mmCIF file of all heavy atoms in Angstrom:
data_model
loop_
_atom_site.group_PDB
_atom_site.id
_atom_site.type_symbol
_atom_site.label_atom_id
_atom_site.label_comp_id
_atom_site.label_asym_id
_atom_site.label_seq_id
_atom_site.Cartn_x
_atom_site.Cartn_y
_atom_site.Cartn_z
ATOM 1 N N ALA A 130 197.983 -7.536 -73.244
ATOM 2 C CA ALA A 130 198.964 -6.598 -73.798
ATOM 3 C C ALA A 130 199.535 -5.691 -72.700
ATOM 4 O O ALA A 130 200.740 -5.416 -72.678
ATOM 5 C CB ALA A 130 198.326 -5.765 -74.906
ATOM 6 N N ALA A 133 201.941 -7.770 -70.670
ATOM 7 C CA ALA A 133 203.196 -7.968 -71.399
ATOM 8 C C ALA A 133 204.070 -6.719 -71.300
ATOM 9 O O ALA A 133 205.272 -6.800 -71.021
ATOM 10 C CB ALA A 133 202.914 -8.322 -72.856
ATOM 11 N N LYS A 134 203.464 -5.567 -71.478
ATOM 12 C CA LYS A 134 204.203 -4.296 -71.406
ATOM 13 C C LYS A 134 204.761 -4.075 -69.995
ATOM 14 O O LYS A 134 205.917 -3.693 -69.833
ATOM 15 C CB LYS A 134 203.284 -3.142 -71.802
ATOM 16 C CG LYS A 134 203.984 -1.822 -71.936
ATOM 17 C CD LYS A 134 203.026 -0.748 -72.441
ATOM 18 C CE LYS A 134 203.736 0.588 -72.548
ATOM 19 N NZ LYS A 134 202.840 1.644 -73.020
ATOM 20 N N LEU A 136 205.549 -6.283 -67.896
ATOM 21 C CA LEU A 136 206.603 -7.269 -67.662
ATOM 22 C C LEU A 136 207.861 -6.978 -68.477
ATOM 23 O O LEU A 136 208.847 -7.705 -68.381
ATOM 24 C CB LEU A 136 206.086 -8.674 -67.995
ATOM 25 C CG LEU A 136 204.984 -9.205 -67.077
ATOM 26 C CD1 LEU A 136 204.285 -10.396 -67.704
ATOM 27 C CD2 LEU A 136 205.562 -9.555 -65.711
ATOM 28 N N GLY A 137 207.798 -5.936 -69.321
ATOM 29 C CA GLY A 137 208.958 -5.580 -70.129
ATOM 30 C C GLY A 137 209.032 -6.331 -71.443
ATOM 31 O O GLY A 137 210.076 -6.345 -72.089
ATOM 32 N N HIS A 138 207.941 -6.970 -71.849
ATOM 33 C CA HIS A 138 207.900 -7.708 -73.112
ATOM 34 C C HIS A 138 207.344 -6.791 -74.198
ATOM 35 O O HIS A 138 206.523 -5.912 -73.933
ATOM 36 C CB HIS A 138 207.021 -8.942 -72.999
ATOM 37 C CG HIS A 138 207.449 -9.885 -71.918
ATOM 38 N ND1 HIS A 138 206.717 -10.977 -71.550
ATOM 39 C CD2 HIS A 138 208.540 -9.915 -71.111
ATOM 40 C CE1 HIS A 138 207.320 -11.629 -70.574
ATOM 41 N NE2 HIS A 138 208.436 -10.996 -70.292
ATOM 42 N N THR A 139 207.766 -7.032 -75.442
ATOM 43 C CA THR A 139 207.247 -6.221 -76.545
ATOM 44 C C THR A 139 205.936 -6.777 -77.082
ATOM 45 O O THR A 139 205.122 -6.030 -77.619
ATOM 46 C CB THR A 139 208.267 -6.141 -77.697
ATOM 47 O OG1 THR A 139 208.650 -7.468 -78.064
ATOM 48 C CG2 THR A 139 209.503 -5.353 -77.273
ATOM 49 N N THR A 140 205.736 -8.089 -76.949
ATOM 50 C CA THR A 140 204.499 -8.724 -77.411
ATOM 51 C C THR A 140 204.018 -9.717 -76.358
ATOM 52 O O THR A 140 204.753 -10.047 -75.421
ATOM 53 C CB THR A 140 204.708 -9.494 -78.736
ATOM 54 O OG1 THR A 140 205.672 -10.530 -78.516
ATOM 55 C CG2 THR A 140 205.186 -8.574 -79.847
ATOM 56 N N VAL A 141 202.801 -10.215 -76.546
ATOM 57 C CA VAL A 141 202.253 -11.233 -75.651
ATOM 58 C C VAL A 141 202.835 -12.576 -76.088
ATOM 59 O O VAL A 141 202.577 -13.046 -77.190
ATOM 60 C CB VAL A 141 200.710 -11.261 -75.712
ATOM 61 C CG1 VAL A 141 200.167 -12.346 -74.798
ATOM 62 C CG2 VAL A 141 200.137 -9.903 -75.335
ATOM 63 N N SER A 142 203.628 -13.179 -75.236
ATOM 64 C CA SER A 142 204.292 -14.443 -75.570
ATOM 65 C C SER A 142 203.384 -15.641 -75.319
ATOM 66 O O SER A 142 202.382 -15.543 -74.603
ATOM 67 C CB SER A 142 205.557 -14.597 -74.713
ATOM 68 O OG SER A 142 205.204 -14.768 -73.349
#
Side-chain angles (χ1 to χ4, degrees):
K134 188 175 179 181
L136 293 164
H138 302 173
T139 53
T140 61
V141 179
S142 67

